[in-house]
Amino acid sequence: MAYQTAPGNPRNVSVSVRPSYGPPNRPRPIQQNPNARPQQKAIPVKRKRRKEREYFFIMRRGVCFLMMVFSLIWIAIILLNYLNILPNYTSFLVEKDLTPLDERLETDTGELDDDGNAIMLPYVDQSKYISMMDPIYGGISAILKQPMVDANGVSLSPFYDEMYEKIMGAPEEEVEAEAADEEPEEAPELTEEELLAQAREQDPMMMVAKIAFPYFPVALVVSALGAVLIFILSLFSMFGRRIFKGFFIFALIMVLAGVMTFIGGFVASGVFSGAPKYLDDGVTLVSVIDFTKALDFLTGAFTAPPATAIDPEIDVAPIPLVSGYGTLAVLVAPIVIMLLALFARRKVPYSIFDK
């Protein structure tokens, strides 16, 4: 700021002279700091636009119809088991009549027909069919801790109750060990119950059996609910324009439940055959879950009884308890639905409207 001496001032006192900024209403200029950084312009952010799809989905009605049919077959099997209709085609397990064909003779009734010939009755197959409702009632009874009985007080799940007792069973009896310094010259022969208890301890698959068998009826019910949901979704997909999802997930749950049901039935077949047990050599252990017999278990309903009597020293005895057609449907139907679910929707480009 400059200092000047005002004229006519005898004391020669310096006074400050302010610069003129023009009219009083003019805004005062802003002094910029020379050390301040130059202000940078904000860079606009470019937002990535969502790429629009060039296609849309529609439901394949033919595939939905097939899924509805297979789910309906699954539901029909449960209903037929509940109504006890056609048990030889819908049963869960079959206790086969292994009487050789050459021993299936006709029975003479002692009566004569109009022509004087003896009236002969054909041999009646003695196979027993175990319904799917048997393990379902047994599983409900095990969960609720209450017996499921009919009006006469008879259990609705006799087979499941018997197998459950054999698999889970009572606590194994401990054999008292003798003193080491008083070993007998010959080891005492074990009883049948002690041999069974020893085989159960040494069979590694008994733990799997104790887990799978009590809970496979629950898996069977879950699979039935999945079949109902797939049936409803398939029906709506055929008569509506809405896109439905979830077929593959429901079918996958049904497949897992079907595998669980197969293991439960396979365990029951092994226990019914007396496994776990030792063979006559006393060394070879037959496991309660012998996967070498899995194919025989699945296809046992299609095989015919032996033509002649079986020689145990030469021939392999067939499995007495095999899967029924209902078990095969529980396994096959969900797999087919899961494969069809991959083709339930079809892509259609928007370009079709340009034509």
Side-chain angles (χ1 to χ4, degrees):
M1 184 177 295
Y3 293 92
Q4 297 179 359
T5 303
N9 187 356
R11 298 183 180 180
N12 196 17
V13 179
S14 61
V15 295
S16 61
V17 179
R18 298 180 179 271
S20 176
Y21 295 106
N25 296 331
R26 182 177 179 180
R28 185 175 180 178
I30 301 174
Q31 296 181 358
Q32 297 182 355
N33 186 2
N35 298 327
R37 295 181 180 180
Q39 186 176 3
Q40 297 180 354
K41 295 182 179 180
I43 301 176
V45 179
K46 295 182 179 180
R47 295 183 178 180
K48 187 176 181 181
R49 293 184 178 181
R50 183 179 179 181
K51 186 178 180 181
E52 296 182 358
R53 292 186 300 185
E54 299 178 354
Y55 57 88
F56 60 97
F57 289 101
I58 61 173
M59 303 297 295
R60 288 190 172 99
R61 296 185 177 181
V63 176
C64 294
F65 175 75
L66 292 177
M67 289 192 296
M68 185 183 68
V69 169
F70 280 96
S71 61
L72 184 60
I73 291 174
W74 208 111
I75 298 171
I77 290 174
I78 293 292
L79 291 177
L80 292 175
N81 275 269
Y82 178 76
L83 300 174
N84 197 21
I85 300 175
L86 299 175
N88 51 335
Y89 295 106
T90 61
S91 62
F92 171 51
L93 296 173
V94 180
E95 183 182 348
K96 296 196 65 176
D97 182 6
L98 299 178
T99 304
L101 294 178
D102 58 355
E103 297 181 8
R104 300 191 174 197
L105 305 177
E106 296 179 345
T107 305
D108 188 0
T109 60
E111 300 178 359
L112 300 177
D113 58 7
D114 298 336
D115 298 331
N117 300 321
I119 299 177
M120 306 293 291
L121 294 178
Y123 179 83
V124 179
D125 191 281
Q126 302 297 321
S127 299
K128 297 180 181 179
Y129 300 95
I130 300 170
S131 172
M132 283 188 177
M133 300 308 298
D134 187 295
I136 290 178
Y137 285 133
I140 295 174
S141 176
I143 293 174
L144 300 179
K145 305 298 181 182
Q146 294 181 357
M148 301 288 291
V149 295
D150 58 8
N152 299 324
V154 180
S155 175
L156 296 175
S157 56
F159 176 80
Y160 182 87
D161 297 341
E162 180 182 357
M163 294 296 105
Y164 186 89
E165 183 179 355
K166 290 182 177 180
I167 294 172
M168 308 305 290
E172 300 175 358
E173 298 180 359
E174 298 181 357
V175 181
E176 297 181 357
E178 298 184 358
D181 55 347
E182 296 181 357
E183 295 182 357
E185 295 180 359
E186 295 182 0
E189 294 183 359
L190 299 178
T191 62
E192 185 177 354
E193 291 77 10
E194 292 174 343
L195 287 174
L196 178 59
Q198 185 177 354
R200 290 168 61 92
E201 289 180 357
Q202 297 183 2
D203 186 7
M205 303 304 285
M206 276 303 300
M207 184 60 67
V208 180
K210 291 182 178 181
I211 295 175
F213 189 80
Y215 296 105
F216 89 86
V218 179
L220 195 60
V221 174
V222 171
S223 184
L225 294 177
V228 172
L229 291 175
I230 290 178
F231 175 79
I232 295 174
L233 292 178
S234 301
L235 183 63
F236 288 164
S237 299
M238 292 177 56
F239 300 101
R241 297 182 178 180
R242 184 177 176 180
I243 304 300
F244 292 91
K245 300 178 182 179
F247 295 102
F248 186 85
I249 299 298
F250 292 141
L252 180 60
I253 294 174
M254 291 178 63
V255 170
L256 296 178
V259 173
M260 193 78 172
T261 304
F262 161 74
I263 295 176
F266 198 30
V267 168
S269 176
V271 174
F272 189 84
S273 302
K277 62 182 178 180
Y278 289 99
L279 297 181
D280 295 335
D281 56 6
V283 178
T284 306
L285 176 65
V286 179
S287 176
V288 68
I289 302 179
D290 188 1
F291 289 104
T292 60
K293 299 180 180 179
L295 184 60
D296 296 336
F297 172 75
L298 285 175
T299 60
F302 301 97
T303 58
T308 58
I310 296 175
D311 187 358
E313 297 181 358
I314 301 175
D315 303 325
V316 179
I319 302 176
L321 188 67
V322 297
S323 66
Y325 296 112
T327 303
L328 295 176
V330 168
L331 285 173
V332 175
I335 295 176
V336 176
I337 295 174
M338 187 172 63
L339 295 177
L340 291 174
L342 299 175
F343 308 97
R345 296 186 301 169
R346 181 166 67 93
K347 290 182 180 180
V348 179
Y350 285 109
S351 58
I352 62 171
F353 298 108
D354 300 336
K355 297 180 181 180

